[in-house]
Every structure is written in C-alpha cells, then in structure tokens.
Amino acid sequence: MSASRLRWAIPAAVIPVLVLLAYGFKTDPREVPSPLLGRPAAAFSLTTFAGTPLSLEGLRGKVVMLNFWASWCIPACYEEAPALERTWQAYKDKGVTVVGVNIQDKEAAAREFLSRFEHSFPNAPDPRGRVAVDYGVYGVPETFFIDSRGRVRFKHVGALTDNIARRHLDALLKEPS
Amino acid sequence: MTRGLAGAALAVALAAGVGWAAPAPAATQPAPAATKVDEQTVRDVATQLRCVVCQTVSVADSPSETANQMRAIIRERLAAGDSPAQVLAYFVERYGDWILLSPPKSGFTLLVWVVPFVGLGIGLVLVAITVRRWSRAPQAAGPSQLDPAVRERIRREMSETDR
C-alpha cells in the first residue's frame, strides 16, 4: 500500500518544485518589467550641458526617445552612442527628439563622452538622480520611448541599436497624434 | 487536518502582514508640512527598499550614490508630510514590487509566504501518519501470521542450541 502511495507522492512533491524552478530560471533577474508603460511620462526640467533649459513639457507633441547614460558605463553606453546620434540625425526632422540624461556621473567625464561621440542632441545631467528615480531607472543604459501624447510606451534595457530605435519610433510616428 | 494546518499557516502569514502594515494608519494622520524628519524613520523606510544598482542590499545599507540619492528622496518626501507607506508606494509606482525587499503578501508572491508553512504542515502530517503506522502494524499483523508448524520448529531448534 505504501509503495503504491509513494508512486504518486514523489511526482506530486517533485513536479511543482521543478515547474517553479523552470519558471524561475527562465526569467532574467535583471530584466524587470516597468510599471510605467502606458502611463504619462514624468515631467522633468533640467539644464543641458550647453546651458539651455530642457523640459518634457517643452517637447509636447513630439515623440521623445529618452536615453539614460553614464560615461563609466562600459561597454553598453559606448556601443550605443553612435546609434543614438545616427537615430537623432535620421529622425530630427520627422517629429522626434532624442534626449540624453546623464546620471551618477562626473561632469568632466560626461562632457568628454559627449564630445568624443559628437552628440548633437540635447543632453542634460541629473545631479540629484530625481529624473532617474521618476522613470524607475535601475541601470544604464536604459531608453524610454514617449509618444506624442506624453505617454511612456516602450522601455529598452541595455545598449540600443539602430534597428530597435527605428522599430519603436516608426510605430509611434504612425499613430495619430 | 492538512486543511487546518494550511489555514493556520495562512493566519500566521496574514498576522505577519498586518504587523508589516501596522505603521501606516498612525502615520497617515496629516503631518504638518516640512516637519523635522526622524532619521530612524528614514532608515526604516530605506531598509524596506532594494538598492537598485546593487544585488540584495537595501537602500539603508548601500554606500552607493544611487542609494544616497534615494535616501535623500525618502527624507524629502517624509519632510513634505508623506507617511512611510506613501513613500514606499511612491517607489513601487515607479519600479514595481521589485523595489520592495519583502515580496508583497498578495498575488503570485503570496506563495513565498504561504508555501513554507503549507510544506511544513504536509510534512508533519506525513510524519504523524508514518509514525502511527510503524507503532501499530506489528501488534496487528505480527504473531498470528506465523505458521504454527514453523513456530514449533523455531522453538525446537532454539532449545537445541541452548543445550
């Protein structure tokens, strides 16, 4: 009797554990879904490295690609840097603004990064980390795609590529504003 | 019996949940704006939040700049009159439940709180059943099953070896 009972008791005990482990090991602990998707993007007002004011309010009606970066973020921020500038050049006349927010960084190192990659889109430091927390940023680089109505629509974690940027921006530009 | 134990486990989990949420009602009373912030309260909130740039370290225990900035935000919001629960909600809104070091006692993560107690309950029941079977079985089945002829032979052979 106890043998026949064991026959189902062992799988009954082991299978749920295996299912739970399979689920757990398949998820990436660093890939955390953002609760912000679909919600209005948090307002910010910063001053760019060039000294001009930069606010989300001032970009209303445009699709915004908001990129959080740091000069110490090696290699991901260096890998994506040329793609950011290329995307800006390709989309700046189509109603898209690329915005860089520099977090957890030293100003001199950040400026050196910007001149090295000849970034010409607006870039601003976030010295107190408020904007980063408002967007739930937990690492660099992270890129948020904000539609023309000011809602966060996509979030990309890790180095951005031309293809990913193009895919998200084209999708947002196709929508009626 | 399993159900009773699971129920008890759930009650324990719920009681723990109540304990965790307890500071909220006291603190929701409107605090005057720009009150002096108790550093212990800042620490209490910070210990419940995950340092986002570290692995498994709380905002209170991390020396990183990000954690430092997050502590400043906690302090600022408490000073503006937010309750500790509201400050936690502020971070959860932006980062999701992931930011909390203790998984919430609802939804999928309730499993984390309940399963150990349920497992313990099932284990206790199995041990009780097994022990009861061990202590009962020999008396019920033991002597009567032995063939009288065999018993007689054992008795005979044992008395022979004694000699």
Side-chain angles (χ1 to χ4, degrees):
Chain A
M1 172 201 164
S2 79
S4 71
R5 207 174 261 196
L6 271 183
R7 208 169 295 151
W8 65 259
I10 291 174
V14 171
I15 288 172
V17 175
L18 288 181
V19 168
L20 207 63
L21 285 179
Y23 168 77
F25 281 123
K26 270 174 88 175
T27 58
D28 180 356
R30 299 197 59 82
E31 201 76 27
V32 183
S34 173
L36 298 175
L37 299 185
R39 303 225 310 246
F44 58 81
S45 58
L46 297 165
T47 305
T48 64
F49 284 103
T52 50
L54 173 69
S55 71
L56 189 62
E57 195 57 43
L59 300 171
R60 183 118 311 171
K62 289 192 166 197
V63 170
V64 178
M65 186 172 105
L66 184 65
N67 173 257
F68 290 87
W69 64 278
S71 66
W72 47 260
C73 145
I74 298 167
C77 292
Y78 289 75
E79 283 169 12
E80 68 169 14
L84 292 175
E85 180 63 22
R86 278 197 297 271
T87 303
W88 164 241
Q89 292 300 340
Y91 282 90
K92 63 178 176 181
D93 298 326
K94 296 180 182 172
V96 173
T97 304
V98 177
V99 172
V101 176
N102 175 242
I103 62 171
Q104 316 288 352
D105 216 340
K106 302 255 186 303
E107 195 184 325
R111 284 182 184 279
E112 199 186 301
F113 181 98
L114 289 176
S115 58
R116 173 171 172 178
F117 290 103
E118 300 178 327
H119 279 179
S120 59
F121 53 88
N123 249 293
D126 176 25
R128 297 195 307 156
R130 294 301 191 273
V131 182
V133 168
D134 269 344
Y135 281 84
V137 170
Y138 56 90
V140 273
E142 283 184 21
T143 309
F144 294 81
F145 294 83
I146 301 167
D147 68 18
S148 56
R149 287 190 292 174
R151 286 174 187 279
V152 178
R153 297 292 298 280
F154 306 107
K155 174 184 181 179
H156 181 80
V157 177
L160 193 75
T161 63
D162 298 84
N163 278 342
I164 297 167
R166 195 180 314 132
R167 199 174 70 224
H168 290 327
L169 292 176
D170 286 348
L172 293 182
L173 285 172
K174 244 180 245 160
E175 293 177 355
S177 54
Chain B
M1 185 178 175
T2 320
R3 194 175 294 168
L5 272 170
L10 195 64
V12 170
L14 286 176
V18 170
W20 176 78
T28 39
Q29 284 153 9
T35 42
K36 201 168 157 286
V37 175
D38 178 17
E39 276 309 305
Q40 188 54 45
T41 317
V42 174
R43 216 192 128 68
D44 286 348
V45 173
T47 47
Q48 295 176 60
L49 293 171
R50 181 196 301 265
C51 160
V52 296
V53 294
C54 335
Q55 304 263 1
T56 70
V57 179
S58 82
V59 169
D61 298 321
S62 167
S64 73
E65 199 189 332
T66 309
N68 199 21
Q69 290 176 343
M70 285 171 75
R71 284 193 294 269
I73 292 173
I74 295 168
R75 199 171 293 123
E76 214 173 79
R77 300 200 71 83
L78 288 172
D82 269 11
S83 71
Q86 283 170 320
V87 177
L88 289 176
Y90 169 87
F91 284 99
V92 170
E93 221 170 86
R94 286 156 179 77
Y95 287 94
D97 289 335
W98 174 84
I99 195 80
L100 299 172
L101 280 174
S102 305
K105 297 175 184 73
S106 64
F108 182 68
T109 47
L110 182 65
L111 276 180
V112 179
W113 297 91
V114 172
V115 163
F117 293 105
V118 172
L120 187 68
I122 293 173
L124 285 175
V125 168
L126 286 180
V127 167
I129 289 174
T130 311
V131 165
R132 210 158 63 179
R133 191 178 300 156
W134 280 349
S135 56
R136 200 190 285 162
Q139 290 157 357
S144 64
Q145 277 175 351
L146 207 58
D147 184 3
V150 175
R151 186 194 303 275
E152 176 53 28
R153 190 179 162 192
I154 291 172
R155 203 187 54 79
R156 195 168 5 102
E157 289 184 358
M158 290 209 22
S159 59
E160 271 167 23
T161 47
D162 280 351
R163 232 179 271 154

